[in-house]
Amino acid sequence: MFYPKKSLFISLISVLLPLGVLAQAGSDVNPRPITLEEYELAHTQTIEDLDNVTYVKFDDGQYIFDRYEMRKPIYITGDDGLRKRVDIYKFIVRDGLQELGTMIFYTNEKDELFKALVPNYTASGDVWERYFEDIHSINNTEENFVLKLSYVISRELAFQMYKGMNNGQLTDTEHATYGSDICFPGDQLVTLDSGESLPLHQIKKGDKIIAFDPASGNSSMIEVSKLVSHTPENYAISELTLLQDEKNQTEKGLFINLSFKTLKATPNHPMMTNEGKKEIGKIREGEEVLTWNPKNKSYESYTVFNTRELTDGVQPVYSIEAEKGSTLLINGVVVRQK
């Protein structure tokens, strides 16, 4: 097979192979090779709404497209001033949940869609040959397609290497915004005095919310005086996964009831832990935080099971100002107002 830009394809191979190795380095399964039939099947599938659909099953649920790292689209604008959109999904076989490849959905400025399925590194030579034939064909129609594809894959290779060096933590200081704003993402839930919850971005002046009184250990009602919205940025976000396990050892065995809560906030937001006041980004696994149990209307401790730092894309973040009190409940967790 003759390729006019052979050197570019060779360079792309050198990028793709280590990406496959790295992408699977932290996986518990060894990916089997994708077959040519599966490669062709994946190309017949389309995701109708790339803006909102993150998970699609097809072929009677035997295969899955799962949005890669829950990443938002990548937009690339070249010297011609034309913007292209790239959406990345993992191609997974349900049996064993093995990743057979990575599907690239490439949309040009005319809303024309092109698909490229990057096989996993165990793929046979005939699949790789077919892959290079396909992207070469697209490149004949869509100028510099291979170059842009190479850029996107190289970028993700660097991301996987960076994550690997940080034990899977997404400490993305290159793109994340760290600032003095002490806030929460708008989708975090605020507990109202009525017992209901509302997304933070829907809270308004005059709403009555629940606060925890550290002195008495009881709840109190406070009134919102202002919802502060900060300029949309790609904020660094700290996420806590909290766990409470209730164990009951009986003659039949050990019965465990597990309850989870999650909380997201900018890393500098203050929390209350069993070790005192601490910024959420400095809380470590094993520490305890106070939560609200709406069923029995009492406060109880949850253990920090996992912590991570991430970015959720460009978004505004919010904080609540109240006339009194020093705390409020976000996702059922006691947090400081500031």
Side-chain angles (χ1 to χ4, degrees):
M1 182 63 63
F2 171 71
Y3 295 122
K5 299 180 179 178
K6 188 175 180 179
S7 61
L8 181 57
F9 284 97
I10 293 174
S11 299
L12 186 56
I13 292 174
S14 67
V15 169
L16 293 173
L17 293 179
L19 176 60
V21 174
L22 282 172
Q24 301 302 329
S27 174
D28 293 329
V29 297
N30 294 318
R32 66 164 174 78
I34 181 176
T35 67
L36 194 55
E37 291 74 20
E38 290 171 328
Y39 177 90
E40 293 172 343
L41 172 66
H43 275 82
T44 66
Q45 305 301 312
T46 299
I47 295 178
E48 297 295 335
D49 185 358
L50 289 169
D51 286 326
N52 298 304
V53 177
T54 60
Y55 190 86
V56 174
K57 295 180 180 178
F58 55 94
D59 197 38
D60 294 328
Q62 295 301 308
Y63 299 97
I64 301 164
F65 282 149
D66 186 13
R67 193 164 193 102
Y68 169 76
E69 302 274 357
M70 290 302 290
R71 293 290 192 86
K72 295 183 181 297
I74 300 170
Y75 294 98
I76 302 174
T77 301
D79 293 336
D80 54 7
L82 301 176
R83 192 174 71 177
K84 322 291 183 179
R85 168 176 171 157
V86 177
D87 296 87
I88 309 174
Y89 287 75
K90 297 177 182 177
F91 177 43
I92 300 171
V93 59
R94 187 181 65 179
D95 184 16
L97 294 179
Q98 298 187 61
E99 295 181 27
L100 301 182
T102 304
M103 177 60 86
I104 309 291
F105 292 98
Y106 176 103
T107 308
N108 68 12
E109 70 285 355
K110 301 176 183 176
D111 285 333
E112 295 172 320
L113 178 66
F114 301 90
K115 290 177 277 189
L117 176 58
V118 185
N120 68 26
Y121 71 99
T122 62
S124 60
D126 60 338
V127 175
W128 279 104
E129 178 76 6
R130 177 62 179 277
Y131 165 72
F132 285 115
E133 288 177 357
D134 286 346
I135 62 174
H136 171 65
S137 176
I138 297 173
N139 202 63
N140 287 337
T141 303
E142 181 69 13
E143 187 177 4
N144 291 327
F145 171 79
V146 171
L147 182 62
K148 289 166 183 165
L149 179 64
S150 178
Y151 167 79
V152 169
I153 294 174
S154 300
R155 181 178 183 274
E156 296 313 317
L157 170 64
F159 168 75
Q160 292 293 341
M161 293 178 66
Y162 179 78
K163 200 169 73 168
M165 288 187 294
N166 288 280
N167 298 318
Q169 298 292 313
L170 303 182
T171 52
D172 191 349
T173 55
E174 179 181 357
H175 300 294
T177 297
Y178 293 81
S180 58
D181 297 332
I182 298 176
C183 313
F184 300 91
D187 60 354
Q188 303 296 282
L189 298 176
V190 181
T191 303
L192 306 179
D193 185 53
S194 64
E196 299 177 342
S197 296
L198 273 182
L200 177 56
H201 69 91
Q202 294 183 13
I203 293 294
K204 59 184 182 302
K205 180 181 179 181
D207 282 343
K208 296 177 175 57
I209 63 176
I210 292 181
F212 171 74
D213 183 354
S216 66
N218 298 320
S219 294
S220 62
M221 185 276 291
I222 59 176
E223 189 168 308
V224 175
S225 57
K226 185 179 182 181
L227 176 68
V228 179
S229 174
H230 297 271
T231 303
E233 300 277 359
N234 191 25
Y235 289 99
I237 299 293
S238 292
E239 179 186 80
L240 300 183
T241 301
L242 311 174
L243 168 70
Q244 184 188 62
D245 56 341
E246 297 179 352
K247 302 182 181 70
N248 183 21
Q249 182 70 59
T250 72
E251 292 182 354
K252 293 183 177 180
L254 178 62
F255 292 80
I256 302 175
N257 292 324
L258 293 178
S259 299
F260 289 93
K261 294 179 184 289
T262 60
L263 177 70
K264 292 181 179 179
T266 53
N268 56 356
H269 197 100
M271 297 275 299
M272 296 174 60
T273 77
N274 59 322
E275 297 183 0
K277 181 180 176 181
K278 186 178 285 189
E279 294 179 356
I280 186 173
K282 296 179 179 178
I283 294 177
R284 296 293 174 256
E285 296 171 7
E287 293 187 47
E288 294 184 348
V289 300
L290 203 58
T291 71
W292 170 249
N293 186 330
K295 293 182 179 178
N296 56 27
K297 299 187 183 303
S298 65
Y299 291 94
E300 52 194 28
S301 293
Y302 270 53
T303 302
V304 178
F305 178 71
N306 186 48
T307 67
R308 67 172 183 150
E309 189 167 301
L310 67 155
T311 57
D312 274 351
V314 176
Q315 61 176 327
V317 290
Y318 302 86
S319 60
I320 286 179
E321 293 182 1
E323 295 179 351
K324 59 181 181 180
S326 59
T327 68
L328 66 153
L329 298 179
I330 299 287
N331 288 0
V333 182
V334 177
V335 300
R336 305 282 299 187
Q337 291 182 21
K338 58 182 179 180

